[in-house]
Amino acid sequence: MKSIRELYRIGVGPSSSHTMGPKRAAELFLQQYTHAFRYVVHLYESLAATGKGHLTDQAVLEVLGKEYTQVKWHPETCLPEHPNAMKFEAFDEQDTLLGSRTFFSVGGGAIRELGDKEQESDAVYPLTTVKDIMEYCSQKGITYWEYVVECEGDSIFTFLDTVWETMETAVKRGLENQGVLPGSIGLSRQAWRYHRRCRNASDEMQQTGLITSYALAVSEENAGGGIIVTSPTCGASGVVPAVLYYLQEQQQLKRIDILRALGTAALFGNVIKFNGSISGAEVGCQGEVGSACAMAAGAAAELLGGTLRQIEYAAEMGLEHHLGLTCDPVDGLVQIPCIERNACAATRALSCAQMAILSDGTHHITFDEVVHVMKQTGHDLPSLYRETSTGGLAKAYAGRCQGNK
């Protein structure tokens, strides 16, 4: 498995796979064909189906230049390897093709070129399943985050400190910002309102209300094009910071505690990414929000004093109870149901952690088995439920709008 630096990426929303990935691919292509006269960019399947709402074309044009680039949309065309496919072409003044490259945006802002495989030299973690990692940690008497440090080195804390600073800032900024989010829906920001109402809410509502407001804050920042951290994606970026921000406040945790928890969360996210997928276009939202819930649940269980087994159990529940979750963004925007979904997953993550702590950690289905099932379930989902905006809630909304005309 690669470094967790590849999982936590700081960038601008609204989508890691549809904006951050394509922008990175465009930058790589431009490095090779800097002096081309014009460019043509072909977007396929999911990138084409929801690209306009996700600002895919704007991300590409920002790099290659609007006056030099033509974007072509091919929502019905599927390329091998991944549904988030894009082909870049460079031409000279005589309209002769200078060269082309095909990339896949595989989730979390990461890209892969056609035919490429992960290089062994890129691997940082020798163990790639939670079962093996848990056994190793148990034998050595170390925690999950200590295994992260063993593989990454102490410098990983400097990176995680920057990650947490960005997450914290996104929460605080999101709680202050008001107004309508950009896009066709006209959706108003709600985080500030939830947080304000929590001040007068009963004690029983405090946990749900505060976590909800924190998750909404980051998710709304992402939807508005603000700076966030993929954890593991832009669309699921509100879950982990919401849970950790809440626990930091309630338990008056030290910063190092949060950084260690971020390491644990990333380790579980890395296992999902390596053995399954974190791409909504490939496996549905179970790969995004489900993975984020698992990461947050594992991190929370650690902060609550959980054992290796209890932490694994919390993460397993977080992912298990999102199995089959579809990716059906209304109008291709990372807003409905994405924003509320982050809040629901954040509250569920802490509940999973608390359930695991109350248990002895014994359970019948392992985390690794759930990851395998999630990947298979995602591949079995009809394509219209995997980030195409042609099924589910997106279809219901589109049908209602047409009916009102």
Side-chain angles (χ1 to χ4, degrees):
M1 293 191 302
K2 292 185 178 182
S3 169
I4 62 173
R5 299 171 192 267
E6 298 291 315
L7 188 77
Y8 289 139
R9 295 175 185 268
I10 298 172
V12 175
S15 172
S16 49
S17 61
H18 285 58
T19 48
M20 290 175 66
K23 183 177 181 180
R24 188 180 176 200
E27 290 169 344
L28 288 175
F29 189 72
L30 183 62
Q31 289 175 12
Q32 185 175 359
Y33 298 100
T34 306
H35 302 296
F37 181 70
R38 72 181 184 93
Y39 305 97
V40 177
V41 181
H42 300 270
L43 302 176
Y44 301 97
E45 202 171 349
S46 180
L47 280 184
T50 63
K52 291 182 180 179
H54 286 59
L55 308 182
T56 305
D57 52 341
Q58 292 185 35
V60 170
L61 294 174
E62 182 182 327
V63 176
L64 300 178
K66 295 181 180 179
E67 63 273 36
Y68 309 112
T69 310
Q70 179 184 15
V71 178
K72 295 187 176 181
W73 309 84
H74 309 281
E76 303 301 325
T77 305
C78 306
L79 268 63
E81 297 188 26
H82 200 280
N84 281 336
M86 58 197 128
K87 182 179 181 180
F88 292 81
E89 297 175 325
F91 296 86
D92 63 13
E93 292 187 49
Q94 287 71 45
D95 216 30
T96 301
L97 180 65
L98 298 175
S100 66
R101 296 175 71 176
T102 299
F103 297 91
F104 300 95
S105 185
V106 296
I111 59 173
R112 184 179 67 236
E113 194 158 6
L114 179 65
D116 279 359
K117 293 184 179 180
E118 185 173 337
Q119 300 294 318
E120 291 185 8
S121 59
D122 293 337
V124 172
Y125 294 88
L127 304 177
T128 59
T129 66
V130 170
K131 176 180 180 295
D132 290 341
I133 294 171
M134 186 162 48
E135 289 178 355
Y136 177 81
C137 290
S138 181
Q139 290 171 4
K140 293 199 67 174
I142 62 174
T143 61
Y144 291 116
W145 68 262
E146 286 176 308
Y147 176 67
V148 170
V149 175
E150 185 178 294
C151 294
E152 301 264 7
D154 289 332
S155 64
I156 196 63
F157 283 117
T158 302
F159 169 75
L160 290 174
D161 190 69
T162 302
V163 166
W164 181 239
E165 182 178 348
T166 307
M167 286 181 170
E168 270 193 311
T169 301
V171 172
K172 295 174 182 177
R173 191 174 60 241
L175 290 175
E176 295 176 357
N177 285 336
Q178 299 181 29
V180 178
L181 292 169
S184 56
I185 301 175
L187 191 68
S188 298
R189 290 176 180 258
Q190 299 292 326
W192 67 274
R193 182 175 288 113
Y194 274 81
H195 193 252
R196 191 72 56 84
R197 288 174 177 172
C198 274
R199 297 175 181 176
N200 300 317
S202 64
D203 292 341
E204 291 79 9
M205 291 183 65
Q206 286 293 317
Q207 177 173 302
T208 298
L210 289 172
I211 294 176
T212 295
S213 67
Y214 301 152
L216 292 178
V218 179
S219 296
E220 289 170 356
E221 281 298 292
N222 174 67
I227 298 174
I228 49 80
V229 180
T230 59
S231 45
T233 66
C234 284
S237 59
V239 183
V240 171
V243 174
L244 297 188
Y245 194 88
Y246 173 78
L247 290 175
Q248 178 181 251
E249 280 190 334
Q250 298 302 307
Q251 298 192 359
Q252 298 181 335
L253 298 171
K254 296 179 181 178
R255 194 174 185 86
I256 188 61
D257 295 325
I258 297 296
L259 303 189
R260 290 168 176 171
L262 281 173
T264 296
L267 185 60
F268 281 90
N270 234 2
V271 169
I272 297 172
K273 183 179 179 181
F274 185 82
N275 296 300
S277 176
I278 58 171
S279 168
E282 189 173 26
V283 296
C285 198
Q286 57 177 352
E288 295 196 48
V289 164
S291 297
C293 185
M295 292 167 64
E302 179 184 288
L303 291 172
L304 294 175
T307 63
L308 291 171
R309 176 65 68 181
Q310 288 172 321
I311 294 170
E312 184 265 353
Y313 185 23
E316 181 271 329
M317 280 191 282
L319 184 59
E320 176 187 9
H321 298 298
H322 283 91
L323 288 176
L325 188 61
T326 59
C327 187
D328 47 0
V330 169
D331 247 13
L333 300 169
V334 193
Q335 297 181 18
I336 298 174
C338 319
I339 294 174
E340 282 184 358
R341 194 167 280 176
N342 272 255
C344 292
T347 56
R348 175 177 284 180
L350 186 53
S351 295
C352 290
Q354 292 168 339
M355 286 175 63
I357 293 297
L358 292 172
S359 75
D360 62 2
T362 301
H363 58 111
H364 294 287
I365 303 296
T366 69
F367 180 84
D368 295 315
E369 289 171 332
V370 175
V371 171
H372 175 77
V373 171
M374 183 268 284
K375 182 178 182 180
Q376 186 60 53
T377 301
H379 288 172
D380 291 342
L381 283 174
S383 61
L384 72 162
Y385 293 113
R386 289 186 270 117
E387 208 165 12
T388 60
S389 286
T390 56
L393 296 174
K395 183 177 180 181
Y397 180 86
R400 188 185 72 194
C401 291
Q402 290 176 359
N404 291 335
K405 288 183 180 180

